[in-house]
Amino acid sequence: MAGDSTASEYDATRWPRRGWGQELASFVDASVEVRNRAQSGRSARSFIEQGWIYDVARDLRAGDLLLIQFGHNDEKIDDPARYDEPQWAFPLWLRQYVELARAVGATPVLLTPVARRHFVAGRAVDRHGPYAQAVRALAQREQAALVDLGASSLRWLAGLGEDASRAFYLHVPEQNLRDDTHFHQRGAAAVACLVVQGLREQGLLDASRLRRDSDCGIPDDRDTARPGASRIARDGDYGRAQPAPHGGGGTTVAYPLFEDVPDLRIVLRRRVLPAGAGIGLHRHAHDEIYYILSGSGRYVLDGVAHDVGPGDALLTRAGSSHALHQVGAEELVLLINYEKR
């Protein structure tokens, strides 16, 4: 990686500040070596003029990927040592990284600059404009791989929203930090995931070489979005007392969560069994899982009794039978989950 402070390394004294390049290694297995050469405060120009490019050139080999992300410091018009005019100077400097990689048989990968956290009237707004566009245009002219990190990170910001997104950047009150450019560790990991996802989409990183998933961010598929379809349920919205099911003893309280959503394919129900209450013996025509949240119970599965308590998960497959009753002084609380028939 060649880049700036959004990707570079930070030691433990700077915690929780991390660069996304620092988190990239956590996504790949031992067959992939990550060499993060990003330097804080550098532009595409100053990274070369100050000689940091030589650290890259010394190690670069055929078959490597060279990830190239600049733009944040190239925009600083008041600093001639770093500023690059976006239409011609910025792509001219970036092209040198592309040529360096290709000269040794490595693959250059251009990245648009990761989004700064900036909202206007609640809407995430791009701050890199012509610099991001210059990277896209250069990738097209040079037929080079492109990870449009600017676009994917902007969608990620929009998905988080103005308030929640603060926690992913360096908003750390105890350190008096309010930074909308650099990342908290959780933000660096999220952006690294977007990079890995982009590399996979380009066919440059095979899924077999990953050790964690890269299903992250918000895809650019507005046609399939369902705003307003998701929501939070509160216990008070659903709770109702009812006789114990399947011939069980006593009275229980059922919380049939989201039962009013007609096209939901799963059933999730919280059930509270007070002292003496139970779920009677019945045979299953479908798979079902009970998860014990609190209390103690006696669970009978296919004629064998088991003592169960918090953290126990009980799977009953189609064709089996089970029953459950509460024991002890504390009420038994469980989650029930199965697919709608």
Side-chain angles (χ1 to χ4, degrees):
M1 275 168 284
D4 54 36
S5 59
T6 61
S8 61
E9 306 274 328
Y10 299 95
D11 63 29
T13 65
R14 307 292 297 277
W15 183 264
R17 179 168 173 160
R18 301 273 283 183
W20 64 257
Q22 218 169 344
E23 294 292 324
L24 201 65
S26 70
F27 284 85
V28 295
D29 65 21
S31 72
V32 181
E33 181 181 358
V34 177
R35 295 185 177 184
N36 187 1
R37 300 292 187 254
Q39 295 294 324
S40 296
R42 272 62 183 187
S43 66
R45 172 201 296 266
S46 64
F47 192 91
I48 291 176
E49 290 186 336
Q50 294 177 9
W52 296 105
I53 193 68
Y54 296 117
D55 288 339
V56 175
R58 183 169 49 249
D59 292 338
L60 200 59
R61 299 289 183 270
D64 289 350
L65 302 179
L66 175 58
L67 309 189
I68 308 153
Q69 187 222 235
F70 291 98
H72 283 79
N73 298 304
D74 302 78
E75 299 171 352
K76 296 183 177 180
I77 195 168
D78 57 343
D79 186 351
R82 293 188 288 180
Y83 176 68
D84 288 319
E85 185 278 328
Q87 300 301 322
W88 64 271
F90 184 49
L92 186 66
W93 287 103
L94 288 179
R95 188 178 176 188
Q96 295 188 47
Y97 298 85
V98 174
E99 292 173 347
L100 170 66
R102 286 176 170 169
V104 298
T107 300
V109 184
L110 291 162
L111 282 71
T112 50
V114 63
R116 286 190 173 99
R117 182 184 167 276
H118 183 70
F119 285 80
V120 175
R123 177 175 169 268
V125 176
D126 175 30
R127 298 298 300 274
H128 296 298
Y131 289 87
Q133 191 53 41
V135 177
R136 298 180 188 111
L138 178 64
Q140 186 173 22
R141 286 197 304 272
E142 294 293 322
Q143 292 297 289
L146 173 71
V147 172
D148 200 343
L149 182 60
S152 62
S153 58
L154 193 67
R155 291 194 300 271
W156 166 70
L157 270 172
L160 288 170
E162 184 171 5
D163 182 48
S165 60
R166 287 189 184 92
F168 293 81
Y169 285 73
L170 274 181
H171 284 249
V172 187
E174 55 270 29
Q175 297 181 15
N176 198 29
L177 291 174
R178 297 178 62 185
D179 183 340
D180 289 319
T181 296
H182 301 99
F183 300 110
H184 189 286
Q185 184 275 332
R186 66 176 68 92
V191 173
C193 186
L194 297 176
V195 173
V196 169
Q197 186 180 73
L199 293 174
R200 286 194 59 195
E201 290 171 353
Q202 293 284 324
L204 298 172
L205 184 60
D206 192 85
S208 65
R209 306 182 81 175
L210 301 181
R211 59 180 178 181
R212 56 187 291 193
D213 72 87
S214 61
D215 178 19
C216 51
I218 304 294
D220 188 14
D221 58 354
R222 297 176 184 84
D223 291 342
T224 62
R226 300 175 63 196
S230 304
R231 68 175 195 262
I232 295 173
R234 308 291 184 185
D235 264 0
D237 298 337
Y238 290 94
R240 60 172 181 259
Q242 59 180 219
H246 305 291
T251 300
T252 68
V253 181
Y255 298 82
L257 306 172
F258 305 114
E259 68 170 354
D260 53 330
V261 180
D263 59 344
L264 191 64
R265 295 179 58 191
I266 58 173
V267 172
L268 181 64
R269 183 170 293 141
R270 190 167 83 93
R271 190 173 289 276
V272 179
L273 282 64
I279 297 172
L281 182 69
H282 60 289
R283 177 165 287 174
H284 277 241
H286 59 272
D287 295 338
E288 185 173 78
I289 296 174
Y290 287 3
Y291 183 78
I292 309 299
L293 295 173
S294 61
S296 299
R298 189 76 165 162
Y299 183 64
V300 180
L301 177 63
D302 292 331
V304 179
H306 307 268
D307 293 322
V308 294
D312 289 339
L314 320 175
L315 170 65
T316 304
R317 304 302 304 267
S320 285
S321 62
H322 76 209
L324 173 67
H325 63 266
Q326 180 271 351
V327 297
E330 184 181 0
E331 62 185 14
L332 177 62
V333 183
L334 63 147
L335 285 177
I336 302 172
N337 179 240
Y338 57 89
E339 189 174 11
K340 280 185 180 177
R341 291 166 288 176

